[in-house]
Amino acid sequence: MLSTLKKRLGAAASAIAALAVAGLLSSCTSTKMPSDVNPGMTALPGLPPVEHITGEVPPPAPREFRAAWVSTVANIDWPSRSNLPVAKQQAEAIAILDRAKSLNLNAIVLQVRPSADAIYPSQLEPWSEYLTGKQGQPPLPMYDPLAFWVTQAHARGLELHAWFNPYRARHATAKSPLARDSFAVTNPASVKQYGRYLWMDPGDAAASKHTTDVVLDVVRRYDIDGVHIDDYFYPYPIDAPGAGSNAGAGAEAAALDAGSGGAKRELPFPDEPSWQQYLLGGGQLDRASWRRQNVNQLIESLYTGIHREKSWVRFGISPFGIGRPDRRPPGIVGFSQYDKLYADAELWLSRGWLDYLSPQLYWPVGQAPQAFGVLLDYWLAQNPYGRHIWPGLYTSRIDNTAKSYTPQEIIKQIELTRTRPGANGQVHFSMIPLMQNRKGISDQLKATVYQSPALIPATPWLGTEAPGTPTVIMRRDTTSVNLKFTAGAGKPVTQYAVWARYGADWRFTVVSGLQSELTLVDDSTGKVNAVVVSAVDRLGNESPRVTLRQPAQ
């Protein structure tokens, strides 16, 4: 993710739509004002009041992708340091998942391949040093961290998306020597040194095939819900010797700080051998177009390969958030990933080569040259196939620096996103500010925009068949109602969407499909007197509802 090392070290119709969506998403669990949900907190200015949801029939289930990136590179999020005891690694993972669940997030994007290495047992790449302290060394006692994360996430009703860095072969923070089975050791001609990093050459066929093989190996062997790749394609350009001090992370920070790139002499990426091979083979493209073609071929290969293996696994990309210069809205300036990273994200959307795009919109709403809302509108306009647009939010910018965000900035970005049809979610970079509750961000998210759970939006282009209608048995005792779920015939159930009416007010919750029972406890707002349940599959398709009512007493 963009400038991860720096982050670690720095530790009106639209208005009506905003009110409607925010009212639905925030009112499903409580009929109280936000200040009442978490004692001692004050409702944030500009947010709509919570509405009651009443009536004989509840509304459709709220839907919004709410995720956080969990970075393993440089031990940004997990594990907190390399070579932790296995029990401590697992305890930290569970703490992250429990926090995500408590905040009503519904997905985790876990970095499983930081630098041509693995946080899972692999025949293709060595164990990551960020896990065990030494590349190639397995955890002791032996366990499979990715399988552990998948199991624990699904038990909590959370999706687990596996995040791969497609080309980086060694990070600047790496300390241990390369393992014997590292791709940089076994295929040295396919790997180039660039500053303090090693980089797989995107123009090298062996490198691209290796990345594709690694991704598809995980898709086959693990019950993941998505594959995710980040903004690192060709590397962020670094200054040529004598031109400056950028050595990788500095270049990324300059790009994020709205640098246009190219103002100084840049160190060229050393891909001359693969470029010459392309020309000798009769290639006609100029070098920049050839580089973009190399990346495009990987994106298309991953999209088709993933769905050939498992049609329900979604493919997402989180590119740098500013589009190509010749298409930008008036007033938008900044780094060009199209010209510098050779990432043609507009093309990928136009061809439908992804299931969701999470452009890293890491600037404030009010920063005109990179205005969050203007950039979001830009990406929505590049989307002829109607793929999901779930912007990346720079939540880690809530820190103690002069550039720190307030929690209100993140909440404002979520509220703005909800006013845009087609932008039905967001991804926080990263989990650490939510774990640390920096400046109260976690408390404020829960008290305002994340009061209620939400289903992940459906992905109809990958399938529309709904699961069978579930069977639900409701039994009341003195102070609660117990529900027992049995899946209907047909497709497997991953979740149950449950509306419960307390007195006159409906509240929403989501139950993992692995859970067969749920107890709803009466409270001061009233007894549970009606329940509406539907079953949901991996693509968000929802079964017909089952309605159960308690007789009047």
Side-chain angles (χ1 to χ4, degrees):
M1 197 54 55
L2 180 61
S3 193
T4 51
L5 183 57
K6 177 185 176 186
K7 293 168 188 164
R8 176 64 167 171
L9 299 176
S14 293
I16 294 171
L19 289 170
V21 176
L24 174 60
L25 288 170
S26 62
S27 63
C28 301
T29 299
S30 175
T31 59
K32 303 174 185 177
M33 292 294 290
S35 56
D36 295 327
V37 175
N38 196 347
M41 295 209 45
T42 302
L44 299 179
L47 290 173
V50 177
E51 300 174 357
H52 292 270
I53 294 180
T54 60
E56 284 300 306
V57 179
R63 289 182 179 263
E64 184 174 55
F65 190 74
R66 301 174 185 166
W69 282 291
V70 174
S71 298
T72 55
V73 69
N75 299 107
I76 291 172
D77 290 295
W78 181 85
S80 59
R81 62 176 175 83
S82 63
N83 202 26
L84 278 182
V86 165
K88 180 64 173 173
Q89 291 179 12
Q90 294 179 344
E92 288 186 352
I94 287 172
I96 288 172
L97 292 167
D98 284 345
R99 174 60 60 91
K101 181 69 173 177
S102 74
L103 292 177
N104 289 321
L105 304 186
N106 49 31
I108 289 292
V109 183
L110 174 67
Q111 191 173 35
V112 302
R113 188 204 198 205
S115 303
D117 52 2
I119 67 158
Y120 56 91
S122 172
Q123 297 297 315
L124 301 175
E125 295 192 309
W127 286 97
S128 175
E129 75 166 66
Y130 299 116
L131 188 70
T132 64
K134 179 180 179 181
Q135 189 174 88
Q137 178 175 300
L140 294 174
M142 177 63 184
Y143 85 112
D144 185 335
L146 179 52
F148 181 85
W149 273 90
V150 170
T151 299
Q152 295 295 328
H154 288 173
R156 290 161 175 78
L158 301 169
E159 289 196 346
L160 197 289
H161 293 225
W163 163 21
F164 300 80
N165 187 288
Y167 293 116
R168 189 169 58 210
R170 183 172 174 84
H171 195 270
T173 62
K175 295 179 174 61
S176 68
L178 292 170
R180 288 181 297 175
D181 55 344
S182 164
F183 187 78
V185 173
T186 60
N187 292 266
S190 301
V191 176
K192 309 299 179 184
Q193 177 136 14
Y194 190 67
R196 296 163 56 205
Y197 294 76
L198 293 180
W199 219 259
M200 296 166 63
D201 179 2
D204 185 278
S208 294
K209 181 180 184 302
H210 180 70
T211 289
T212 302
D213 289 345
V214 166
V215 172
L216 296 184
D217 174 59
V218 169
V219 173
R220 293 184 194 106
R221 292 198 290 131
Y222 292 91
D223 190 25
I224 59 173
D225 301 285
V227 166
H228 187 99
I229 61 174
D230 54 30
D231 54 315
Y232 292 108
F233 299 101
Y234 280 81
Y236 283 84
I238 62 178
D239 294 335
S245 59
N246 287 346
E252 300 151 23
L256 182 61
D257 290 340
S260 60
K264 299 179 180 180
R265 285 191 302 113
E266 295 171 354
L267 186 68
F269 183 71
D271 59 356
E272 187 67 19
S274 55
W275 167 242
Q276 290 300 326
Q277 185 176 4
Y278 169 74
L279 294 177
L280 289 173
Q284 299 296 311
L285 296 175
D286 62 73
R287 196 160 187 168
S289 299
W290 166 74
R291 285 175 170 171
R292 281 188 286 270
Q293 176 181 265
N294 295 331
V295 177
N296 293 341
Q297 288 172 343
L298 177 71
I299 299 301
E300 183 182 17
S301 173
L302 289 174
Y303 186 71
T304 57
I306 290 164
H307 294 126
R308 184 172 57 247
E309 294 293 336
K310 292 179 180 176
S311 61
W312 62 88
V313 174
R314 280 144 294 157
F315 179 43
I317 308 175
S318 56
F320 188 82
I322 301 177
R324 50 187 287 180
D326 60 338
R327 298 187 186 180
R328 292 177 186 175
I332 294 294
V333 299
F335 180 83
S336 173
Q337 65 174 337
Y338 180 81
D339 296 302
K340 301 297 183 181
L341 309 183
Y342 305 98
D344 193 350
E346 289 88 347
L347 177 71
W348 310 335
L349 280 169
S350 73
R351 300 286 177 87
W353 289 344
L354 45 76
D355 299 308
Y356 67 92
L357 188 82
S358 294
Q360 296 175 28
L361 303 188
Y362 289 178
W363 302 275
V365 170
Q367 185 168 310
Q370 299 83 32
F372 179 94
V374 176
L375 292 173
L376 178 57
D377 289 341
Y378 171 81
W379 290 111
L380 289 167
Q382 310 299 313
N383 190 21
Y385 283 91
R387 299 313 198 220
H388 298 304
I389 305 292
W390 299 328
L393 310 184
Y394 196 2
T395 310
S396 288
R397 181 56 91 186
I398 300 173
D399 54 24
N400 293 320
T401 69
K403 296 179 180 179
S404 174
Y405 284 178
T406 64
Q408 176 62 24
E409 177 64 40
I410 296 299
I411 291 169
K412 187 190 307 181
Q413 293 178 2
I414 294 171
E415 290 290 336
L416 187 152
T417 300
R418 289 177 178 175
T419 69
R420 302 315 203 250
N424 49 7
Q426 61 278 157
V427 189
H428 295 271
F429 188 86
S430 63
M431 195 65 200
I432 192 167
L434 302 181
M435 296 299 293
Q436 295 173 347
N437 194 21
R438 292 182 188 170
K439 300 185 180 180
I441 177 61
S442 297
D443 293 337
Q444 295 194 45
L445 287 171
K446 183 66 179 294
T448 56
V449 291
Y450 291 166
Q451 285 189 12
S452 165
L455 296 179
I456 290 174
T459 307
W461 55 90
L462 297 183
T464 57
E465 180 187 354
T469 306
T471 299
V472 184
I473 299 174
M474 182 165 70
R475 186 185 72 253
R476 165 161 282 289
D477 62 20
T478 306
T479 60
S480 65
V481 164
N482 178 264
L483 305 176
K484 289 189 176 181
F485 309 105
T486 302
K491 299 179 69 178
V493 173
T494 58
Q495 294 174 317
Y496 294 100
V498 181
W499 284 100
R501 190 170 61 188
Y502 287 71
D505 292 311
W506 289 99
R507 306 182 202 171
F508 183 71
T509 192
V510 177
V511 179
S512 168
L514 301 174
Q515 185 175 333
S516 61
E517 291 191 43
L518 175 67
T519 297
L520 302 167
V521 180
D522 303 330
D523 64 18
S524 59
T525 64
K527 287 190 171 185
V528 178
N529 57 70
V531 173
V532 175
V533 179
S534 58
V536 185
D537 72 4
R538 302 194 74 140
L539 291 175
N541 296 306
E542 197 172 352
S543 76
R545 288 174 159 188
V546 174
T547 300
L548 303 98
R549 290 184 172 86
Q550 287 288 328
Q553 296 180 1

